[in-house]
Amino acid sequence: MSTPQGVKLPPPPAPSITPFLPPQPPPGLRTPSNRKTIYDRNLNRTRTAELSRASFAYLFSEMVTYAQKRVTGIQDLERRLNEQGYPLGLRLLPLLLYRAPPRTATRPTRILPLLQFITTTLWKHLFGRPADALERSSANEDEYMISDNEPLVNMYVSVPKEMNQLNCAAYVAGVIEGVCDGGGLTAAVSAHNGGTEMWPGKTIFLIRFEGGVVEREGILEGRGVSG
């Protein structure tokens, strides 16, 4: 382009083009298209979704060794193992209910449904099978018993002769106690040796519910509440 005087002017600048950028999602937990989050799937993605028994044996032996430091006796050691398992039980109850199908994801409000949840859903999640028995004490209405003929936590633990009363399944008792307390049915749970000729390693978990829980159970039963 030139002016009437013959002076050349530079060509006009080309129009600038601003690329289109899609809107960015807000920061935080991203929910995929199927509406499921990390809480819906097992952290173990192996084919069998099971932890190696060798890995479990090593980890649990380290937990027992840690709990054994500066204890005053067998009861003190079992109490520490119980305290280690208790927080796990508190967290497992809402997690397993969250993963359950909608029609069965109801928090148990009575003793028997809660214990059935423990002996089936919880036991299968932890050990890959249900517990061997669930019984109610004939002498005390506030006592129930869960039996495991071969507790996995005792399978790889060597107990010295001077500590033959020790039962490392006190850790599992703590898990059960955490589930009961998390469900609003406060209880004290302890593990006891109940070996037989057929099942020498059999353990019985004794569950004692508080008096207020038993009283509330009677009221709900009178009203016909099944949950």
Side-chain angles (χ1 to χ4, degrees):
M1 179 181 299
S2 62
T3 64
Q5 291 79 13
V7 179
K8 293 184 178 181
L9 299 176
S16 61
I17 301 176
T18 303
F20 173 76
L21 297 176
Q24 298 297 320
L29 181 63
R30 294 182 298 174
T31 304
S33 57
N34 58 5
R35 309 304 298 173
K36 290 187 176 182
T37 65
I38 60 174
Y39 301 105
D40 294 281
R41 64 176 183 268
N42 198 313
L43 296 179
N44 191 333
R45 298 185 180 182
T46 59
R47 179 183 301 179
T48 57
E50 293 180 353
L51 177 68
S52 165
R53 286 200 172 189
S55 300
F56 170 80
Y58 173 76
L59 291 173
F60 189 71
S61 65
E62 289 298 308
M63 293 173 61
V64 174
T65 302
Y66 178 79
Q68 195 174 359
K69 295 179 180 178
R70 297 184 297 275
V71 295
T72 58
I74 294 177
Q75 291 184 349
D76 191 22
L77 176 55
E78 290 183 341
R79 178 186 59 81
R80 292 195 177 191
L81 290 173
N82 184 293
E83 291 174 351
Q84 288 182 353
Y86 183 83
L88 178 61
L90 286 176
R91 289 162 175 79
L92 276 178
L93 177 61
L95 176 63
L96 295 178
L97 290 175
Y98 181 83
R99 289 181 177 176
R103 61 184 179 84
T104 59
T106 304
R107 183 183 294 267
T109 58
R110 294 191 58 183
I111 293 178
L112 188 56
L114 178 65
L115 294 180
Q116 289 173 338
F117 172 86
I118 292 173
T119 56
T120 55
T121 304
L122 176 69
W123 232 258
K124 288 179 181 179
H125 177 77
L126 293 176
F127 309 117
R129 59 174 179 82
D132 293 297
L134 170 62
E135 303 172 85
R136 181 175 182 177
S137 172
S138 57
N140 302 303
E141 62 176 2
D142 61 340
E143 293 183 352
Y144 292 78
M145 292 161 285
I146 297 176
S147 299
D148 192 325
N149 293 335
E150 290 182 309
L152 181 63
V153 293
N154 290 346
M155 198 169 294
Y156 304 102
V157 176
S158 178
V159 179
K161 292 183 179 180
E162 62 272 15
M163 300 179 67
N164 60 356
Q165 296 298 319
L166 173 66
N167 193 324
C168 292
Y171 177 82
V172 181
V175 176
I176 298 172
E177 189 170 327
V179 172
C180 291
D181 289 4
L185 304 178
T186 310
V189 185
S190 54
H192 303 270
N193 297 319
T196 63
E197 184 177 354
M198 180 176 294
W199 304 107
K202 180 178 179 179
T203 293
I204 299 174
F205 299 95
L206 180 62
I207 307 170
R208 294 188 181 95
F209 289 97
E210 288 189 351
V213 174
V214 178
E215 182 180 353
R216 174 175 172 270
E217 180 76 7
I219 295 174
L220 293 178
E221 185 175 358
R223 295 178 178 177
V225 179
S226 59

